Amino acid sequence: MTIRLHWFLPTGGDGRTLVDRHAYAANDVGAVRKPAGVRAPDLDYLVQIAKAAERLGFEAVLTPTGTWCEDAWLTTVALAQHTERLKFLVAFRPGVISPTLAAQMASTYQRLTGGRLLLNVVTGGDSSEQRRFGDHLDHDERYSRTDEFLSVVRGVWQGRPYDFHGTHYDIEGGLTALPPDPLPELFFGGSSPAAGPVAARHADVYLTWGEPPAQVAEKIGWIRTLARQEGRTVRFGVRLHSISRDTSAEAWAAAHRLLADLDADTIAAAQAALGRSESVGQRRMLALHEGSRERLEIYPNLWAGVGLVRGGAGTALVGSHAEVAERIAEYHALGVEHFVLSGYPHLEEAYWFGEGVIPELAARGLLGGTPEAAGAPLLVSSGR
């Protein structure tokens, strides 16, 4: 099992600061002073990141979904015209779109881009965010709907009329005339009891946020057990930020600079907002630091500072290129194959990782094959 590397496309904005904190400020542009170095997610800038990721050897870029970012489908189909091999992990939400239409869109996207679509189905852990899209199901019902959604997508891709009669979907004769070729793999994320069985039934790869290795090992064991009960096997991935430099001291200085302009009120507002999430994974992220700047290195080279103000993935690998490669190797030894990475700013951090850590991983014999030979998996995860 070799390592497969992916980067992140910041369609909600980027910069030399923790950009996500603006989600917790008043939604009044005139009332909020924009910190220096914040970059709008315009096409020219996103093209730079996509081309850098492709040049550096990343297989794909994860593209998030939500009211705080640009639409993933439209943005990435534009970026596909500026790249040759890079794949796009396009996120969207069950309940906002029909599973039959989603299957058709994915099939069309695969043909238009030569098989470069990776589809990221986001169940959703925040009811207030879901209601913005007109979705009023509770947490566990959303996972039940995702279960049916993935069954319909797979059925529709068979290339013949497909019927499905469930609690959330009633499909008669659903199909897409030209199924995707090859059929994509499914990736899935979720830490709740409602999520595990869905992963076991549908996922080819289970994706988790970057907790310490012991906790990741527990999740791997949990999903493996559930998958065996379904007569299946599942592979694994992890979502992390990266701050890699030529020396460990330089990397930690860069990490500390990300927090330098964050005051207590900003952190408290972010923690209060994140604490209202129904996502079990989000609660696990918050528990790693409990809203405090103290003891943020929760495991060697694993830093929880990002999660003070950022939702979703809240931990970063911090250290020299060799140290970051060592931590990746440790996760890999647990059974993690896919690493979905990001950093602030995403353009510069892609180069730090690509020119520093990737050669270290290659020297360890952990990278194999070429991105274009790796297939076109369908990613189903928590979105970002």
Side-chain angles (χ1 to χ4, degrees):
M1 179 185 69
T2 58
I3 286 174
R4 296 170 69 176
L5 298 171
H6 313 281
W7 197 242
F8 185 81
L9 197 65
T11 57
D14 198 12
R16 300 190 304 275
T17 182
L18 293 176
V19 177
D20 274 31
R21 64 185 172 165
H22 304 306
Y24 313 112
N27 190 23
D28 180 353
V29 175
V32 180
R33 182 175 63 86
K34 181 185 290 187
V38 173
R39 304 172 190 175
D42 58 51
L43 185 61
D44 288 343
Y45 181 61
L46 295 177
V47 165
Q48 290 185 59
I49 296 173
K51 286 188 172 182
E54 182 172 72
R55 175 179 181 179
L56 293 165
F58 292 97
E59 180 178 340
V61 285
L62 170 62
T63 308
T65 184
T67 52
W68 48 271
C69 61
E70 299 288 4
D71 176 75
W73 291 95
L74 296 176
T75 302
T76 56
V77 78
L79 292 174
Q81 311 309 305
H82 297 270
T83 52
E84 297 178 1
R85 301 177 307 279
L86 187 70
K87 298 172 186 175
F88 299 96
L89 284 63
V90 174
F92 72 95
R93 300 170 186 253
V96 177
I97 187 173
S98 154
T100 305
L101 178 59
Q104 182 184 36
M105 292 169 65
S107 297
T108 300
Y109 198 118
Q110 287 283 49
R111 288 188 292 278
L112 292 178
T113 64
R116 291 197 280 152
L117 173 67
L118 314 176
L119 191 58
N120 177 21
V121 178
V122 181
T123 300
D126 184 347
S127 287
S128 61
E129 172 78 1
Q130 294 298 124
R131 287 194 295 270
R132 295 184 190 122
F133 292 96
D135 179 16
H136 294 268
L137 295 184
D138 66 24
H139 176 276
D140 288 3
E141 286 180 315
R142 291 196 293 269
Y143 277 103
S144 173
R145 180 178 57 195
T146 296
D147 193 357
E148 293 188 8
F149 182 96
L150 297 178
S151 296
V152 173
V153 168
R154 283 295 197 195
V156 168
W157 278 342
Q158 293 174 5
R160 58 182 181 273
Y162 176 77
D163 294 339
F164 181 90
H165 305 290
T167 301
H168 304 282
Y169 297 105
D170 191 355
I171 306 295
E172 296 182 3
L175 82 162
T176 179
L178 295 174
D181 183 20
L183 290 178
E185 296 175 302
L186 293 175
F187 286 49
F188 187 89
S191 300
S192 69
V198 182
R201 282 190 289 272
H202 295 286
D204 295 303
V205 177
Y206 174 83
L207 190 64
T208 181
W209 287 328
E211 299 176 1
Q215 295 180 30
V216 171
E218 289 177 0
K219 279 191 174 181
I220 289 174
W222 171 50
I223 296 298
R224 278 180 173 161
T225 298
L226 292 175
R228 280 197 299 269
Q229 294 170 2
E230 298 285 341
R232 304 183 66 248
T233 58
V234 176
R235 292 177 287 118
F236 298 92
V238 66
R239 171 81 177 91
L240 288 157
H241 302 280
S242 173
I243 305 174
S244 172
R245 296 294 185 271
D246 294 336
T247 68
S248 182
E250 290 174 301
W252 283 108
H256 295 151
R257 279 195 295 274
L258 286 178
L259 301 185
D261 64 346
L262 295 179
D263 57 31
D265 289 343
T266 299
I267 293 174
Q271 291 298 293
L274 294 171
R276 292 191 289 271
S277 173
E278 298 171 320
S279 166
V280 173
Q282 184 63 72
R283 291 200 295 269
R284 290 171 69 105
M285 285 284 101
L286 295 178
L288 296 177
H289 53 70
E290 298 181 335
S292 172
R293 291 175 182 261
E294 304 300 324
R295 299 181 298 277
L296 289 173
E297 189 178 7
I298 57 176
Y299 188 80
N301 307 110
L302 185 64
W303 184 65
V306 178
L308 289 175
V309 293
R310 186 197 194 278
T315 53
L317 297 175
V318 181
S320 67
H321 306 309
E323 288 172 336
V324 170
E326 178 64 27
R327 293 285 77 76
I328 289 175
E330 184 174 359
Y331 283 111
H332 180 255
L334 299 177
V336 176
E337 178 180 352
H338 292 260
F339 291 81
V340 184
L341 304 160
S342 55
Y344 295 92
H346 288 76
L347 180 60
E348 287 90 327
E349 289 296 340
Y351 275 100
W352 278 114
F353 187 94
E355 295 176 344
V357 181
I358 287 180
E360 292 279 350
L361 295 173
R364 295 167 181 260
L366 297 177
L367 302 178
T370 59
E372 57 268 32
L378 167 67
L379 291 193
V380 182
S381 80
S382 55
R384 64 182 185 131

